[in-house]
């Protein structure tokens, strides 16, 4: 009988890669949601029901060998990965796999709760990044700029909806930040085991979001 440690390693989890590459898990998830790192939910379980086809089906002659996923793997779309990165978990109703005949939709009979600890990176993907030297330590400037613009837009929308967050004809960014900080701290007190509580506890004293 083949011993467990004699089997080839199929994948590494994000915690393992975080230590190996010296990158926070949130950065790995940012790369995954941007399509720069392929992550998977491993194995098909009893809650999964593969359904072939879909809008994104790719003809067989257009699917390269490198794009075909292992039989144990399920991918999540960028929106789902972004939710996992932002909130520490997400309820997922479906994913997909890349096969020779195109993308195969995988639906969950019961929505599956996914956390960063559930996601893995295939051994081939780990090797590809390490051999090519494409492991990136930080979010790109373009990605960071986009995030800052989104935050500014949200602040403007909040100020437009509530005059208390206006400062003359501009939005009062400090008041919005202070109130958001207070809200997050209240959530952390009420739900001490939540991802928000963990994030707040890691922040330097006196800092704001």
């Amino acid at each position: 009988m083949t011993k467990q440690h004699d089997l080839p390693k199929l994948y590494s989890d994000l915690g393992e890669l975080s230590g190996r590459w010296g990158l926070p898990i949130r950065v790995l998830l940012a790369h995954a949601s941007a399509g720069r790192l392929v992550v998977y939910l491993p194995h098909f379980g009893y809650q999964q029901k593969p359904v072939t086809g879909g809008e994104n089906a790719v003809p067989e002659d257009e699917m390269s060998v490198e794009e075909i996923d292992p039989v144990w793997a399920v991918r999540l779309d960028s929106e789902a990965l972004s939710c996992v990165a932002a909130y520490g978990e997400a309820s997922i109703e479906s994913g997909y796999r890349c096969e020779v005949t195109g993308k195969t939709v995988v639906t969950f009979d019961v929505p599956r709760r996914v956390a960063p600890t559930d996601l893995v990176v295939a051994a081939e993907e780990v090797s590809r990044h390490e051999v090519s030297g494409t492991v990136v330590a930080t979010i790109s400037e373009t990605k960071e700029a986009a995030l800052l613009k989104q935050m500014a837009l949200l602040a403007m929308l909040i100020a437009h909806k509530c005059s208390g967050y206006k400062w003359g004809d501009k939005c009062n960014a400090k008041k919005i930040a202070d109130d958001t900080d207070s809200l997050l701290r209240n959530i952390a007190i009420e739900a001490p085991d939540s991802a928000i509580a963990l994030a707040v506890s890691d922040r330097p004293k006196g800092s704001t979001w």
Side-chain angles (χ1 to χ4, degrees):
M1 180 180 292
T2 303
K3 295 181 179 180
Q4 182 72 26
H5 59 74
D6 292 331
L7 297 173
K9 187 173 179 62
L10 298 177
Y11 50 75
S12 299
D13 61 45
L14 293 188
E16 181 181 350
L17 282 185
S18 176
R20 180 168 172 169
W21 290 349
L23 302 175
I25 290 178
R26 66 178 183 275
V27 172
L28 296 177
L29 284 171
H31 289 313
S33 62
R36 293 189 292 269
L37 179 69
V38 178
V39 300
Y40 297 112
L41 277 173
H43 304 304
F44 284 105
Y46 71 93
Q47 292 181 330
Q48 298 174 25
K49 180 180 61 179
V51 180
T52 59
E55 295 180 359
N56 297 320
V58 180
E60 180 177 351
D61 58 354
E62 294 184 18
M63 184 71 75
S64 67
V65 175
E66 291 77 14
E67 292 176 303
I68 299 174
D69 292 330
V71 295
W72 50 263
V74 179
R75 296 196 195 198
L76 303 180
D77 61 30
S78 60
E79 183 177 353
L81 289 171
S82 295
C83 286
V84 175
Y87 303 111
E89 63 178 21
S91 182
I92 307 300
E93 296 184 354
S94 65
Y96 68 93
R97 294 182 62 248
C98 290
E99 299 182 339
V100 175
T101 54
K103 287 187 177 180
T104 299
V105 176
V106 179
T107 60
F108 297 84
D109 295 334
V110 177
R112 181 169 172 178
R113 182 158 296 189
V114 177
T117 51
D118 298 315
L119 298 171
V120 302
V121 180
E124 293 80 3
E125 176 78 348
V126 173
S127 177
R128 181 177 70 84
H129 280 279
E130 292 182 343
V131 170
S132 63
T134 58
V135 179
V136 184
T138 58
I139 301 175
S140 68
E141 292 183 5
T142 302
K143 184 77 172 180
E144 185 174 2
L147 289 172
L148 290 174
K149 288 178 181 178
Q150 291 169 5
M151 291 168 64
L153 178 59
L154 286 173
M156 292 171 63
L157 290 172
I158 291 172
H160 178 72
K161 290 286 186 180
C162 180
S163 59
Y165 290 117
K166 286 186 178 180
W167 188 13
D169 59 349
K170 299 179 180 179
C171 67
N172 190 336
K174 185 178 186 305
K175 181 170 176 55
I176 294 173
D178 289 344
D179 286 358
T180 301
D181 188 71
S182 176
L183 175 64
L184 291 174
R185 289 187 180 279
N186 288 335
I187 293 174
I189 292 172
E190 295 177 4
D193 295 326
S194 66
I196 288 178
L198 294 175
V200 171
S201 67
D202 289 340
R203 292 165 50 205
K205 189 176 181 179
S207 66
T208 58
W209 289 94

